[in-house]
Structures are given as C-alpha cells and as structure tokens.
C-alpha cells in the first residue's frame, strides 16, 4: 500500500498471519485495519510522514482526528516521522523552537487521547549528520498509541536505531 499522491509512504508486509485493509491514504499518512490471524486480534495502524510546515501538518492532524472518530474502542498504533517535536527537551542545537508547532502537536495528541509508547535506548531519533558543533538532534520519529493499545499490548516497547546511522 502506498499513498498515490507522491509516494512518500510505502507499507509492505508478509501476508502470512495478517489480513490488511486500507482505511485511508493521504499525502502524510496511511491508515490500515490489521487482523492478526495468529493472535486473533484486530487493530488500526497508521504510518505517518509529516511535512515540514505547520499549515500542511494541519491536514495530518485532521486526518488523524477522522480516523479516531471511526475507530471506536479499537487498539490504535501511530508511527512515523512527524517532523515536529513535542517538548523543548527533544531538540539539541540548531535554531530556536517554533512554539506554535509544539502547541499544535501537543493539542493534537491530547485530542486524540494518544501517548508515546515506552522506548528503549535512543530517545532522540533524528540527526542532521553534520560535524560536531553543527550537529542537531531531535525526536521527530515517534510511536504513539491509544489506551486500548496499551491495555491490549502492555509490554510493547519501541526501539529506535542510532540516529547518526539511521534516519
């Protein structure tokens, strides 16, 4: 499955053990309904690749609100590159913060009733890969879920790779 507008997101899977149906595709997200035949469980899964500007990200926030409205009480996992930080502590070096983008992102997270999944190791997920004093780190990639996900998968833990190697 991919978003046909510009192929920014591709989602591939091994069909053994899962059945997948597309809920919605857009420029910044693909959302699917997953049925695991191995665990006999259903959940929604959204893959995000947010744009760099606030105006375009509003479309992403609206799409995620729509998905929440049709999901009911199902587990929901949202993962990807949101291209925005949630807290000031999630950025090291670089230009200052755009307060409005942080506020909008936090507001969206609260409205969606989602939160970050526990993560091990690398909490800053992105790096511009420049040398020493010009190197910037940030937490742009996230895995978030609703309370139904956390109660269904209480031991789930996100793992991010070293941002100086992987983006």
């Amino acid at each position: 499955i991919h978003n046909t507008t510009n192929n920014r997101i591709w989602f591939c899977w091994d069909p053994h053990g899962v059945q997948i149906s597309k809920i919605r595709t857009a420029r910044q997200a693909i959302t699917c309904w997953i049925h695991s035949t191995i665990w006999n469980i259903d959940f929604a899964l959204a893959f995000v690749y947010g744009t760099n500007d606030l105006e375009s990200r509003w479309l992403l926030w609206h799409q995620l609100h729509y998905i929440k409205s049709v999901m009911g009480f199902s587990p929901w996992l949202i993962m990807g590159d949101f291209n925005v930080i949630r807290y000031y502590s999630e950025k090291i070096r670089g230009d200052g913060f755009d307060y409005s983008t942080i506020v909008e992102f936090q507001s969206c997270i609260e409205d969606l009733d989602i939160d970050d999944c526990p993560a091990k190791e690398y909490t800053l997920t992105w790096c511009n890969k420049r040398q020493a004093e010009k190197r910037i780190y940030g937490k742009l990639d996230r895995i978030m879920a609703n309370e139904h996900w956390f109660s269904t998968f209480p031991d789930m833990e996100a793992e991010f790779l070293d941002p100086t190697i992987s983006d």
Side-chain angles (χ1 to χ4, degrees):
I1 298 174
H2 62 90
N3 55 343
T4 56
T5 51
N6 58 8
N7 294 319
R8 288 170 44 103
I9 306 168
W10 284 74
F11 170 46
C12 304
W13 67 94
D14 179 351
H16 178 74
V18 294
Q19 297 170 343
I20 305 211
S21 51
K22 180 174 56 173
I23 297 175
R24 191 168 190 174
T25 61
R27 180 172 181 239
Q28 299 178 76
I30 296 174
T31 305
C32 300
W33 188 252
I34 313 288
H35 172 70
S36 169
T37 56
I38 296 169
W39 298 322
N40 194 29
I41 192 163
D42 297 315
F43 58 91
L45 179 58
F47 297 95
V48 171
Y49 186 14
T51 61
N52 289 321
D53 67 283
L54 178 61
E55 286 185 34
S56 295
R57 270 198 306 268
W58 272 67
L59 298 173
L60 172 61
W61 306 155
H62 287 291
Q63 179 187 1
L64 294 174
H65 279 92
Y66 168 78
I67 298 299
K68 180 187 178 198
S69 74
V70 298
M71 281 193 12
F73 297 102
S74 300
W76 185 24
L77 187 71
I78 306 115
M79 63 172 65
D81 182 345
F82 288 82
N83 264 315
V84 62
I85 60 172
R86 184 176 179 185
Y87 304 109
Y88 297 115
S89 61
E90 293 181 342
K91 183 177 179 189
I92 298 175
R93 294 191 199 96
D95 293 336
F97 303 100
D98 183 346
Y99 182 73
S100 64
T101 62
I102 295 172
V103 169
E104 285 299 324
F105 189 39
Q106 289 176 346
S107 177
C108 179
I109 289 169
E110 289 172 17
D111 291 347
L112 295 173
D113 294 321
I114 59 176
D115 204 357
D116 286 305
C117 292
K120 57 183 178 180
E121 296 212 34
Y122 300 99
T123 56
L124 299 178
T125 61
W126 176 85
C127 172
N128 67 352
K129 298 181 180 58
R130 295 194 181 149
Q131 296 300 316
E133 68 278 349
K134 293 184 181 182
R135 185 168 286 183
I136 302 169
Y137 290 93
K139 182 170 180 65
L140 304 181
D141 307 288
R142 317 188 90 82
I143 300 177
M144 296 187 287
N146 65 5
E147 67 182 75
H148 306 292
W149 178 274
F150 289 120
S151 63
T152 305
F153 303 101
D155 299 324
M156 185 246 176
E157 190 174 56
E159 183 174 2
F160 298 98
L161 301 177
D162 180 348
T164 62
I165 299 169
S166 174
D167 182 17

